[in-house]
């Protein structure tokens, strides 16, 4: 795991962070650490965020990064951005294949990550780009 760069600071009205992960299972807990730091920055700017929000944001980020680690060759990027009353959690990777959303199945063992992300965020959008795709999930602040 190698951070590409830390929080963007060019525009002080936008709160965002982008980190590049180069692979390995250490990127999963590292993604949770990045989220923790980002939420701390939001709190320092006066947003009153609950522990439940922090837990949900860490879970969403780690599920999306885990999917990138399992299904895409090469690096992935985690980007966090405050957008209105939500935090957008975006993970870009080098795989062209879109994630597979499986129907709810309480007896299935594993493969519930996107189901969890969708429940927490309400909406998950995948967009292709020149070198793969980006999965966007917006988590409400409340």
């Amino acid at each position: 795991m190698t951070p590409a760069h830390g929080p963007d600071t060019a525009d002080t009205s936008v709160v965002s962070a982008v980190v590049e992960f180069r692979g390995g299972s250490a990127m999963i807990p590292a993604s949770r650490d990045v989220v923790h730091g980002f939420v701390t920055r939001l709190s320092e700017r006066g947003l009153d965020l609950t522990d439940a929000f922090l837990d949900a944001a860490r879970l969403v980020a780690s599920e999306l990064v885990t999917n990138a680690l399992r299904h895409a060759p090469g690096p992935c990027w985690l980007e966090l951005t405050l957008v209105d009353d939500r935090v957008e959690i975006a993970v870009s990777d080098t795989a062209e294949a879109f994630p597979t959303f499986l129907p709810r199945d309480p007896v299935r063992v594993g493969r519930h990550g996107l189901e969890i992300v969708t429940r927490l965020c309400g909406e998950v959008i995948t967009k292709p780009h020149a070198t793969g795709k980006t999965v966007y999930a917006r988590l409400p602040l409340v």
Side-chain angles (χ1 to χ4, degrees):
M1 180 238 12
T2 305
H5 59 85
D8 297 332
T9 56
D11 181 354
T12 58
S13 66
V14 174
V15 182
S16 66
V18 180
V19 176
E20 178 182 359
F21 296 111
R22 307 235 171 162
S25 61
M27 63 192 237
I28 298 164
S31 70
R32 292 190 290 266
D33 293 341
V34 170
V35 169
H36 186 97
F38 182 76
V39 170
T40 298
R41 286 180 55 215
L42 294 179
S43 296
E44 290 168 354
R45 289 178 162 252
L47 289 171
D48 186 23
L49 300 172
T50 66
D51 288 342
F53 174 82
L54 174 60
D55 291 343
R58 287 162 59 173
L59 179 58
V60 168
S62 66
E63 288 293 340
L64 294 178
V65 167
T66 297
N67 284 350
L69 174 65
R70 287 188 179 159
H71 303 291
C76 78
W77 296 264
L78 169 64
E79 182 172 5
L80 306 164
T81 308
L82 178 63
V83 178
D84 300 323
D85 62 344
R86 299 172 185 270
V87 168
E88 183 174 82
I89 302 168
V91 174
S92 300
D93 64 42
T94 58
E96 293 180 4
F98 277 35
T100 302
F101 289 85
L102 299 174
R104 187 171 184 266
D105 182 355
V107 297
R108 182 178 63 241
V109 176
R111 301 190 62 191
H112 292 279
L114 288 175
E115 181 182 338
I116 293 167
V117 170
T118 302
R119 285 267 175 160
L120 291 170
C121 297
E123 181 179 36
V124 179
I125 299 169
T126 304
K127 294 183 180 179
H129 54 75
T131 59
K133 69 176 171 307
T134 301
V135 179
Y136 299 89
R138 285 190 174 175
L139 182 65
L141 292 176
V142 278

